[in-house]
């Protein structure tokens, strides 16, 4: 479960501002940053959207009003006897055209057109268009006896038109069309918009001022961070918590859990509890601790013991970290293995120093032959062992074996390396793992032989195309049958409480390299065998 389930608290210093030029300008003015810019941008977009909507509404309203004016004007014109008579005759008359244009000026329309029963113009603002067919394609309604308002394009351009039929008694003898061109519609909408514009500007100004004030307060509350900086901090925070091997809890003044790492949630079962549970609900022993600083305090957690550290927080809360006591002990065990290797090498140095002292004493007493014999024996033994390890081309492994030989001599045991053992320098990158594996297996064999008063340990190392094979063979009594199936589990040992980590570490290192580990009897000997795949596939 992700640690984002609990709200985080931040105490980071304010990062430098970056990003939009508008946000940098606001920062220079001391009124905020990107957050303020975002608020004002949203406000401007909303205001612009309202303006567009209002322009559309005003345009629609202007078209409707002009359409009604055009329809009313057409009705009046269609009732004049001169118009009825001219339409009935279907003949052009300068008198009729002049009369209609005078009416157009009084009405304020862009044009009034009178057409006869076939749609031929009898009156028009442009004399050169008289006698031609009316344009727009919207005469079907008037010739059917209907009064209509339409938006159509005529010879003078796109216009809002009101059309009515001209009646001579019951007979339709013509049509009257009064039009207002669209620029006039747009002018009316623009005029209405200009009247409303100060109110839009005032609303934008007050909205921007409110956004600035709210954003400044919000920035103070969030330590001057921008939203993307907060997101980055949260991601880094979660990554850090996920990478920690320890459980981490942040507690409020009342011991409520405000933050928990994934390890802590798993250990305490927090996924099954509501947000911000009290520590006493999930870990009563830790809830009894005060907010003072503590280090490596041992507390029970379920069936295990953990080491707890606490650090007080401003405001009365605290941060509590914990890790399994056994894990800490295992880490100490691994460090002990390294220290044992150092001790073995130091013992080897002391052993050589002792040989030198003996040689010096023999020479001082004049026992030259005895000194020479001792020196030849030591050289022969070293040469023989060095010859056995000549093909082991990983220096740390060779040094380990020399040290273990000296350790075996101190314990009164025999330690040898199988002839033809070999190890290529390619394994140098895994030297640490090999030292851990061989060191623990050889030490385990020494302890098994020490318990029965002596014996021999033989190491065999072989590399071939199938990988690397390691065998540590000892003449001890072998593994007890009750431990046969659980020997490599952590904490399992025949040597008492607090042991059982060496072979578990061997298994862990072998599995890391993709290999296998087994133990079996070969005649009267116990064999621990490790098989590692070739480096190319490891």
């Amino acid at each position: 479960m992700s640690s984002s389930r609990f709200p985080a608290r931040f105490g980071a210093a304010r990062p430098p501002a970056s990003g939009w030029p508008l946000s940098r300008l606001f920062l220079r003015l001391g009124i905020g940053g990107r957050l303020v810019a975002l608020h004002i941008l949203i406000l401007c977009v909303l205001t612009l959207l309202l303006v567009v909507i209002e322009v559309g509404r005003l345009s629609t309203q202007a078209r409707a009003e002009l359409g009604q004016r055009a329809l009313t004007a057409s009705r009046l014109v269609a009732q004049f006897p001169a118009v009825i008579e001219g339409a009935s005759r279907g003949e052009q008359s300068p008198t009729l055209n002049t009369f209609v244009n005078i009416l157009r000026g009084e009405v304020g329309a862009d044009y009034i057109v009178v057409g006869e029963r076939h749609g031929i113009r009898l009156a028009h603002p442009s004399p050169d268009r008289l006698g031609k067919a009316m344009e727009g394609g919207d005469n079907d309604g008037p010739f059917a006896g209907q009064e209509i308002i339409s938006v159509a394009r005529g010879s003078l351009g796109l216009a809002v038109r009101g059309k009515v039929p001209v009646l001579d008694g019951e007979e339709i003898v013509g049509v009257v069309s009064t039009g207002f061109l669209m620029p006039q519609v747009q002018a009316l909408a623009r005029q209405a918009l200009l009247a409303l514009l100060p109110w839009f500007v005032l609303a934008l100004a007050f909205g921007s001022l409110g956004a600035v004030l709210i954003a400044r307060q919000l920035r103070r509350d969030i330590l001057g961070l921008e939203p993307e900086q907060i997101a980055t901090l949260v991601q880094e925070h979660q990554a850090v918590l996920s990478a920690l091997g320890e459980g981490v809890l942040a507690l409020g003044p009342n011991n409520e859990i405000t933050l928990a790492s994934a390890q802590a949630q798993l250990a305490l079962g927090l996924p099954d509890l509501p947000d911000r549970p009290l520590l006493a609900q999930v870990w009563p022993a830790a809830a009894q601790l005060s907010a003072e600083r503590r280090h490596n305090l041992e507390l029970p957690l379920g069936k295990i013991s953990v080491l707890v550290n606490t650090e007080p927080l401003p405001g009365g809360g605290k941060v509590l970290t914990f890790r399994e006591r056994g894990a800490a002990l295992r880490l100490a065990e691994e460090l002990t293995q390294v220290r044992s290797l150092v001790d073995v090498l130091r013992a080897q140095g002391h052993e050589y120093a002792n040989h030198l002292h003996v040689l010096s004493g023999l020479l001082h007493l004049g026992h030259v032959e005895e000194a020479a014999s001792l020196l030849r024996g030591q050289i022969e033994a070293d040469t023989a062992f060095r010859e056995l390890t000549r093909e082991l081309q990983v220096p740390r492994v060779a040094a380990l074996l020399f040290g273990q030989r000296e350790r075996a001599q101190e314990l009164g045991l025999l330690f040898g390396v199988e002839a033809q053992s070999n190890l290529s320098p390619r394994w140098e990158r895994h030297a640490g793992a090999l030292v851990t594996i061989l060191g623990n297996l050889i030490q385990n064999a020494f302890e098994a032989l020490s318990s029965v008063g002596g014996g021999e340990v033989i190491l065999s190392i072989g590399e071939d195309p199938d990988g690397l094979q390691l065998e540590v063979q000892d003449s001890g009594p072998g593994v007890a049958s009750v431990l046969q199936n659980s020997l490599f589990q952590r904490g399992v040992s025949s040597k008492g409480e607090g042991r059982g980590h060496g072979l578990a570490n061997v298994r862990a290192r072998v599995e890391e390299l993709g290999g296998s580990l087994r133990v079996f009897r070969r005649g009267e000997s116990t064999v621990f065998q490790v098989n590692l795949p070739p480096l190319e596939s490891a």
Side-chain angles (χ1 to χ4, degrees):
M1 179 176 177
S2 173
S3 60
S4 59
R5 177 174 179 267
F6 297 95
R9 294 180 177 179
F10 299 99
R14 176 177 175 175
S18 61
W20 304 347
L22 185 59
S23 67
R24 293 198 295 270
L25 174 61
F26 286 148
L27 279 175
R28 292 193 192 101
L29 296 176
I31 56 174
R34 185 173 296 184
L35 195 58
V36 177
L38 182 62
H39 287 173
I40 294 180
L41 178 61
I42 293 174
L43 187 59
C44 290
V45 170
L46 291 177
T47 303
L48 180 60
L49 181 62
L50 289 176
V51 169
V52 171
I53 294 173
E54 187 63 18
V55 168
R57 188 187 70 81
L58 291 174
S59 298
T60 302
Q61 182 179 347
R63 283 198 298 269
E65 291 178 355
L66 290 178
Q68 288 296 330
R69 287 175 58 186
L71 191 61
T72 300
S74 293
R75 287 172 184 162
L76 291 174
V77 173
Q79 294 175 7
F80 281 101
V83 174
I84 296 173
E85 182 181 354
S88 297
R89 290 201 311 268
E91 296 176 357
Q92 297 181 34
S93 169
T95 303
L96 175 62
N97 191 45
T98 301
F99 174 70
V100 171
N101 281 315
I102 292 173
L103 293 177
R104 176 183 62 81
E106 294 178 354
V107 171
D110 288 303
Y111 63 82
I112 297 179
V113 177
V114 177
E116 47 92 62
R117 69 187 69 221
H118 299 296
I120 302 301
R121 299 187 185 104
L122 301 177
H124 193 280
S126 301
D128 59 326
R129 296 179 183 176
L130 294 174
K132 297 179 180 179
M134 300 174 67
E135 299 177 8
D138 52 355
N139 280 341
D140 292 342
F143 283 136
Q146 300 174 0
E147 296 180 346
I148 67 168
I149 298 174
S150 67
V151 177
R153 184 175 297 277
S155 61
L156 296 179
L158 189 65
V160 179
R161 311 201 279 197
K163 291 195 170 189
V164 300
V166 178
L167 299 176
D168 185 3
E170 298 294 329
E171 182 183 3
I172 299 175
V173 296
V175 62
V176 176
S177 176
T178 302
F180 293 90
L181 294 174
M182 288 306 292
Q184 188 172 165
V185 176
Q186 295 167 357
L188 288 174
R190 195 159 46 246
Q191 182 179 357
L193 179 62
L194 289 175
L196 292 174
L197 188 59
W199 298 103
F200 282 121
V201 173
L202 187 63
L204 180 60
F206 277 108
S208 300
L209 179 61
V212 169
L213 295 177
I214 293 173
R216 290 184 67 180
Q217 179 61 44
L218 181 59
R219 283 176 63 84
R220 282 195 293 268
D221 293 341
I222 60 176
L223 305 177
L225 298 175
E226 295 291 348
E228 69 279 3
Q229 294 168 339
I230 295 176
T232 299
L233 283 176
V234 170
Q235 292 168 357
E236 293 174 352
H237 167 81
Q238 291 175 348
V240 169
L241 286 182
S242 299
L244 288 177
E246 298 182 340
V248 180
L249 294 175
L251 305 173
N254 298 319
N255 260 3
E256 70 275 13
I257 301 175
T258 59
L259 175 68
S261 68
Q263 292 288 343
Q265 293 178 43
L266 181 63
L268 300 177
L270 290 176
D272 301 326
L273 293 175
D275 288 347
R276 300 175 71 89
L278 294 176
L279 184 61
Q281 296 177 258
V282 295
W283 195 0
Q288 304 300 320
L289 299 178
S290 62
E292 64 187 34
R293 184 179 287 106
R294 289 182 174 83
H295 293 288
N296 294 328
L297 176 66
E298 186 173 349
L299 286 179
L301 176 58
K303 296 181 179 180
I304 63 173
S305 292
V306 296
L307 299 178
V308 175
N309 297 321
T310 60
E311 186 72 23
L313 289 174
K318 63 176 177 284
V319 173
L320 185 150
T321 63
F322 61 92
R323 57 178 173 170
E324 184 184 353
R325 179 177 178 274
L329 292 178
R330 289 191 294 272
L331 179 59
E333 179 87 11
E334 292 181 5
L335 293 175
T336 301
Q337 292 290 339
V338 175
R339 189 162 52 248
S340 297
L341 176 60
V342 174
D343 291 340
V344 166
L345 295 177
R346 186 181 297 112
Q348 183 181 22
H350 290 166
E351 186 71 14
Y352 277 105
N354 290 334
H355 286 310
L356 291 176
H357 291 155
V358 172
L359 287 171
S360 176
L362 289 173
L363 292 173
H364 183 74
L365 295 174
H367 302 292
V368 177
E369 287 298 326
E370 291 186 26
S373 176
L374 177 63
L375 186 58
R376 283 194 299 270
Q378 186 64 39
I379 291 174
E380 290 173 359
D382 287 347
T383 301
F385 194 81
R386 185 172 288 104
E387 183 64 24
L388 291 175
T389 60
R390 183 171 59 86
E391 296 300 324
L392 303 181
Q393 301 180 50
V394 177
R396 276 183 281 178
V397 172
L400 172 71
L401 300 186
F402 272 96
Q404 294 291 9
R405 187 189 69 156
E406 301 298 333
R407 178 64 175 163
Q409 290 177 357
E410 290 180 354
L411 296 175
L413 306 174
L414 298 177
F415 176 68
V417 177
E418 190 75 35
Q420 308 302 320
S421 292
N422 65 94
L423 182 64
S424 70
R426 295 181 304 161
W427 287 91
E428 176 62 37
R429 61 183 176 182
H430 296 305
L434 294 178
V435 167
T436 297
I437 293 170
L438 292 174
N440 279 285
L441 291 180
I442 294 171
Q443 182 65 28
N444 189 71
F446 284 174
E447 291 180 356
L449 294 180
S450 296
S451 64
V452 296
E456 183 179 20
V457 177
I458 301 296
L459 170 65
S460 174
I461 302 177
E463 185 179 3
D464 56 33
D466 294 330
L468 180 66
Q469 296 79 43
L470 310 173
E471 283 190 1
V472 177
Q473 175 180 310
D474 68 75
S475 57
V479 179
S481 58
V482 294
L483 300 178
Q484 191 73 36
N485 296 326
S486 58
L487 181 64
F488 300 109
Q489 295 180 9
R490 197 168 294 278
V492 175
S493 175
S494 60
K495 304 179 182 69
E497 186 178 356
R499 302 297 299 274
H501 299 299
L503 291 180
N505 288 339
V506 170
R507 184 193 65 177
R509 289 305 186 99
V510 169
E511 290 178 350
E512 286 175 6
L513 297 176
S516 60
L517 172 66
R518 67 190 186 111
V519 58
F520 57 91
R521 292 286 290 180
R522 180 185 292 158
E524 298 299 321
S525 300
T526 302
V527 179
F528 284 83
Q529 185 182 80
V530 175
N531 292 288
L532 301 178
L535 284 178
E536 291 74 16
S537 61

